[in-house]
Amino acid sequence: MIKELTKSQELLNRRKEAVANGVGVFNTATVQVAKGAIIIDVDGRELIDFAGGIGVVNAGHCPEPVVAAIQEQAGKYLHTSFNVVTYEPYITLCEELAEILPHGKKTKSMLVSTGAEAVENAIKIARQATKRPAVICYTGAYHGRTMMAMTLTSKVSYKNDCGPFAPEVYRLPFPNFYRYRGSRDMDQFVEDELKRLHESALNLVDVKSVAAVIIEPIQGEGGFNPVPQKYLEGLRDFCDAHGILLIMDEIQSGFCRTGHWASWQHYGVQPDISTYAKSMGSGLPIAAVVGRAEIMDAAAIGSIGGTYIGSPICCVAASATIKYMKDINLNEKAFKIGKVIMDRLHHLKQQHSEIGDVRGVGAMVAIEFVKNGDPRQPNSEICPKIVKGCAENGLIILSAGTYKNALRILSPLVITDEQLEKGLSILEAEIKKAIHTI
């Protein structure tokens, strides 16, 4: 007897027939409706969401004030192009970004649709402001899939057969303390990495030609690796000494994920330019480049932007999201949720040597798996088993890292205590099961 396909299986089969294979499938879940931290699939099954649309729904799925703002705006006008007809929602959002993400004495912003677009425009602004061509980036970085962003992105599998890439891009090793510390303590490790940074002016690229250094203070796709505090401070000093602009990519780490509007606020190190997207609009495609006014204004008129530079519907969604995040104190919730997750995973780590590291800032938390307790021996086999097992038992979660040996938790920050505990219990059970089968 032939087993009848579920609606989810039917939908995935239709996807396979109609959608290009290059569009990744990170998880086989489906959705017919979502609210808060819960997704209901097309078979009516309830799933706890620990992926958050890859960090997009920090304020939860379909927050009511955001939905209401979208509906109201949709009845007024959908598009005029801000280049052609000026509208208030764009200006209001830029004013709000300047208030929560101040860059020096005066802050200006520009709006686009995606994180990759924000990165592309940030680089263009930096080059025009400095009249220099070169950009320094890092291993483990993920900045997007458009040409400059893809060049800046580190992982080769994201860009196989896509070259040639943008010129004048130079890469340094990210100061990943967990993986590369060896026998050194944090102070010695940072000192060595800062020496490497300063040596780059002698053996990597002429420092006088460097427009910007771009860095994720907490790497996203790279495995939620936080930059050491003293390194970021030293990087700021290096940029200041050589007239280089410091760009911080906060696309995955922004908007309350770390307990701040941006992770650079956690570090207390000010960027010249920063980029945002993902949870900024609760799922609508909106992104921003934010920076010191004199730098932002260095771009020639018409040299940045595009047709869809801040859709009015996306702008009101972002403004409503910011207000909602303030109203429910989402930054504080991130710290509370992060502590629950970290405590639970640290306890699990004590029981299993396969768990090499548990790390996080606020509610941006990852768990990394290794072989023989060695940070230099990533275990790439275990995460797919855990992701699959979790999906079968009602939990959506994603892997991360250069070797796909880390799991990242990006649950909506409105998740209830009960949902969080249930999700962590599923995750814990699947980790134990996967460990015992390797």
Side-chain angles (χ1 to χ4, degrees), residues 332-370:
E332 183 178 327
K333 289 180 183 292
F335 281 116
K336 292 179 179 178
I337 289 169
K339 186 179 187 308
V340 171
I341 297 170
M342 292 284 281
D343 287 349
R344 187 80 170 259
L345 294 183
H346 274 300
H347 179 71
L348 191 63
K349 179 179 181 295
Q350 293 172 1
Q351 304 171 37
H352 302 283
S353 61
E354 291 85 356
I355 300 175
D357 194 29
V358 171
R359 54 181 175 266
V361 179
M364 191 169 181
V365 180
I367 179 169
E368 181 168 345
F369 298 90
V370 297

Side-chain angles (χ1 to χ4, degrees), residues 25-265:
V25 182
F26 304 144
N27 197 293
T28 55
T30 63
V31 58
Q32 63 171 322
V33 68
K35 186 71 176 176
I38 297 296
I39 287 176
I40 308 296
D41 75 9
V42 294
D43 294 297
R45 197 165 68 106
E46 186 174 289
L47 307 168
I48 299 171
D49 187 5
F50 270 22
I54 318 182
V56 169
V57 289
N58 287 355
H61 291 280
C62 298
E64 291 180 6
V66 179
V67 173
I70 293 168
Q71 291 170 333
E72 181 181 355
Q73 178 58 43
K76 295 177 179 178
Y77 53 92
L78 298 176
H79 175 77
T80 66
S81 185
F82 191 71
N83 295 311
V84 179
V85 177
T86 297
Y87 42 85
E88 187 175 10
Y90 190 114
I91 299 167
T92 298
L93 179 54
C94 289
E95 291 169 342
E96 291 165 343
L97 292 172
E99 185 250 320
I100 63 174
L101 297 162
H103 285 55
K105 292 181 181 179
K106 184 172 177 57
T107 302
K108 285 193 173 184
S109 303
M110 67 163 295
L111 306 177
V112 286
S113 300
T114 69
E117 276 188 279
V119 169
E120 295 274 347
N121 282 282
I123 297 301
K124 287 196 288 185
I125 292 167
R127 283 174 163 170
Q128 291 186 73
T130 61
K131 303 296 188 288
R132 299 174 177 183
V135 180
I136 293 175
C137 58
Y138 287 88
T139 57
Y142 181 87
H143 296 291
R145 300 174 193 260
T146 51
M147 182 52 70
M148 173 54 74
M150 180 174 58
T151 304
L152 295 168
T153 291
S154 176
K155 194 169 183 178
V156 173
S157 62
Y158 283 126
K159 49 190 184 179
N160 281 332
D161 300 325
C162 293
F165 302 108
E168 290 294 335
V169 172
Y170 302 86
R171 195 176 306 280
L172 286 172
F174 184 84
N176 185 330
F177 179 66
Y178 169 68
R179 180 164 295 161
Y180 299 120
R181 67 188 176 198
S183 60
R184 295 171 292 177
D185 62 16
M186 177 65 82
D187 288 342
Q188 186 60 58
F189 174 79
V190 169
E191 182 180 334
D192 291 343
E193 291 303 308
L194 286 175
K195 284 180 182 176
R196 190 201 302 266
L197 172 65
H198 285 274
E199 287 171 358
S200 71
L202 302 174
N203 59 25
L204 184 66
V205 57
D206 178 4
V207 74
K208 294 184 181 64
S209 72
V210 178
V213 175
I214 184 167
I215 188 170
E216 299 162 275
I218 306 169
Q219 291 189 324
E221 295 287 318
F224 285 20
N225 305 307
V227 65
Q229 175 76 37
K230 293 295 184 183
Y231 183 89
L232 196 58
E233 292 172 2
L235 177 59
R236 175 74 273 178
D237 292 341
F238 174 82
C239 289
D240 289 341
H242 297 289
I244 299 169
L245 299 182
L246 180 56
I247 303 172
M248 295 195 195
D249 182 336
E250 295 277 0
I251 289 164
Q252 192 161 159
S253 54
F255 285 84
C256 304
R257 176 53 52 182
T258 67
H260 294 279
W261 295 107
S263 69
W264 61 259
Q265 294 170 324

